[in-house]
């Protein structure tokens, strides 16, 4: 199978995607439309515990009404789901930082991808506001505008928009094997695709080559795009690729990785199936590394 | 030709890519390595006029020595080019905002893609510092660290990194034609691919579908990735795609676009060749829209 065929990408399950959300972009700048959405008796408000979701028995998000909006909170406008306006509550002053509980990851494992996608949008938006209450240009406290999709400085008039940080995540291929690595902080046995932030002044293809060289000393060429997903910790756009390596000699950057190994399709297939006899544990289904490995196993990898 | 073939992507010229820069990531956190680079008599310093480049007769960037560093400026470490450390001067307090002179665009037309790539890195980095001198989390003045690749807050210890904002830019295809649009502020006759920022909580594929629907009322499926480029105004990552539309009835969002039209391969070919008889002017060579249109003209568009 051709890794780049449209049919593969349509069929490939990717975590945090498929949310049935109409973002109602034009209404964000329209105070009347926003007031109408806020006054709609069918409007829904997401229930959150800090930044974690509340889930029902089927792993779906739990929504209340706008009457549940806590004192001191502001509603951020997500848009329409099933024709009804949906909001998420923002309380400034709360600081969650990089806290990601084991309970959260257990919940992510239960959520359908479309529900995780909605959650990703809500979580990244709330988290961005909470960490960006001041103007980076002049230091003044900023105010929410565009229905929650921006902040504005009353002092210098600078406008600030939520960050989306592109990250490349990739498999180098050599002689029918793929390169995986592990970070020391990961769960025991877990290996996954190498990854890193795209920097200013570089393309996706250049970032894939740079990160693979930096982390594992492997030079790659012929970068092929596979899929993408949002990753709300705090607000990445994961861009999954495969690239060709001409040499398999690993030089590890031990500041980044604890180990890196070349794995076969049979090994990846077994790890994805949860086989305890294989020498590594695959990434979870909601991570794009799972989708990338699934695509690679089902391809001939050449094209 | 298959739009997704690796051979096409290798051959496709893309502006702002191909810089021969080793970003020396590991040295950014290593004060001794940075001191050695700063003390290297071969070190080079980029010449800038505000945020605009200085160019030689071949459209290449002009570099001086670190002795040219203006009073009150700090050197940002770009990394190695040809084994020599290269820096760019940062003077905080200067505010260039969204100013992009006609002279700058004329210069971009003269620069080889690799030189424009280096310039993109330098410009985006300087511009980010100048607009982010204060901590978004607490409002305090921040300090440069990581050799110029981050800022840190002495009050709350928050760390801030340069933004890279992913933008999708795409051609919807229907019945052998592609959808182009124009904004009122563009040069007379110019049409280009539709584009928009990827938001938190969405994939590249979802952003392509949302933006095409928002701006032109066209629903698309089967999104195919073509190429990417950095775009330093101020710091976008342009992600070029093609997608399939089942219907060609345009509903224009006049807040975003002045017009949108369906164009044939023959028309695009003629516009790319500078033919004055065709009904639109193609985007410039350094924009990824040029690369996207070039790829589309050379493909059968089906796959």
């Amino acid at each position: 199978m051709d890794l780049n065929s449209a049919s593969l990408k349509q069929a490939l399950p990717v975590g945090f995607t498929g949310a049935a959300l109409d973002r109602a972009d034009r209404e964000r700048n329209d105070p009347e439309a926003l007031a109408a959405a806020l006054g709609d008796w069918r409007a829904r408000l997401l229930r959150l515990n800090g930044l974690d979701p509340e889930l029902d028995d089927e792993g779906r998000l739990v929504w209340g009404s706008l009457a549940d909006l806590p004192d001191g909170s502001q509603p951020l406008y997500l848009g329409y789901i099933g024709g009804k306006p949906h909001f998420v509550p923002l309380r400034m002053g709360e600081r969650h930082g990089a806290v990601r509980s084991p309970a959260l990851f257990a919940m992510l494992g239960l959520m359908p991808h479309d529900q995780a996608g909605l959650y990703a949008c809500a979580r990244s938006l709330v988290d961005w506001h909470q960490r960006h209450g001041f103007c980076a240009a002049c230091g003044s406290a900023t105010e929410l505008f565009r229905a929650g999709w921006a902040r504005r400085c009353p002092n210098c008039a600078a406008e600030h928009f939520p960050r989306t940080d592109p990250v490349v995540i990739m498999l180098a291929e050599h002689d029918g094997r793929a390169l995986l690595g592990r970070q020391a902080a990961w769960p025991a046995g877990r290996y996954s695709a190498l990854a890193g932030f795209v920097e200013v002044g570089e393309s996706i293809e250049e970032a894939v080559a740079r990160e693979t060289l930096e982390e594992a000393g492997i030079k790659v060429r012929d970068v092929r795009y596979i899929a993408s997903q949002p990753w709300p910790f705090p607000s990445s756009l994961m861009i999954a690729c495969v690239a060709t390596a001409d040499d398999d000699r690993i030089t590890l950057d031990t500041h980044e990785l604890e180990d890196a190994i070349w794995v076969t399709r049979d090994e990846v297939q077994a790890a994805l199936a949860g086989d305890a006899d294989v020498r590594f544990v695959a990434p979870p289904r909601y991570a794009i590394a799972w989708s990338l490995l699934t695509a690679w196993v089902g391809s001939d990898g050449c094209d």
Side-chain angles (χ1 to χ4, degrees), chain A residues 21-128:
Chain A
L21 176 66
D22 169 0
R23 292 174 178 242
D25 176 69
R26 290 174 221 186
E27 298 190 1
R28 295 177 188 168
N29 282 323
D30 180 344
E32 282 183 32
L34 181 62
L38 282 167
D40 189 328
W41 59 271
R42 304 166 309 162
R44 312 299 288 155
L45 183 74
L46 186 64
R47 287 188 189 272
L48 289 176
N49 293 316
L51 286 178
D52 288 354
E54 281 188 34
L55 300 184
D56 68 15
D57 291 347
E58 294 174 340
R60 301 183 69 82
L61 297 168
V62 177
W63 302 82
S65 81
L66 280 176
D68 303 329
L69 189 72
D71 283 348
S73 292
Q74 296 166 286
L76 309 177
Y77 188 29
L78 294 180
Y80 291 101
I81 304 170
K84 300 174 189 168
H86 281 58
F87 294 86
V88 56
L90 167 67
R91 186 194 291 271
M92 294 298 284
E94 290 188 7
R95 292 290 293 278
H96 306 281
V99 175
R100 286 182 258 166
S101 63
L104 172 62
F105 285 103
M107 284 191 280
L108 290 177
L110 300 174
M111 298 173 79
H113 287 340
D114 68 309
Q115 294 290 298
L118 271 180
Y119 170 63
C121 179
R123 179 187 173 109
S124 289
L125 197 57
V126 170
D127 187 35
W128 176 77

Side-chain angles (χ1 to χ4, degrees), chain A residues 9 12-18 167 169 204 225-231 236-241 286-289 291-292:
Chain A
K9 273 183 255 171
L12 182 67
V14 177
F16 296 104
T17 67
V167 171
I169 178 165
I204 290 170
Y225 172 86
I226 305 298
S228 70
Q229 80 166 181
W231 180 252
S236 293
L237 172 67
M238 307 299 297
I239 302 169
C241 298
Y286 53 79
I288 200 168
S291 306
L292 179 57

Side-chain angles (χ1 to χ4, degrees), chain A residues 11 20 42 61 75-76 83-84 87-88 92 102 116 138 144-145 172 175 179 197 234 236 248 254 269 299:
Chain A
R42 304 166 309 162
L61 297 168
L76 309 177
K84 300 174 189 168
F87 294 86
V88 56
M92 294 298 284
C138 78
L144 187 150
F145 87 120
D175 198 17
L179 181 66
F197 288 100
S236 293
D248 64 357
T254 52
Q269 182 87 67
S299 74

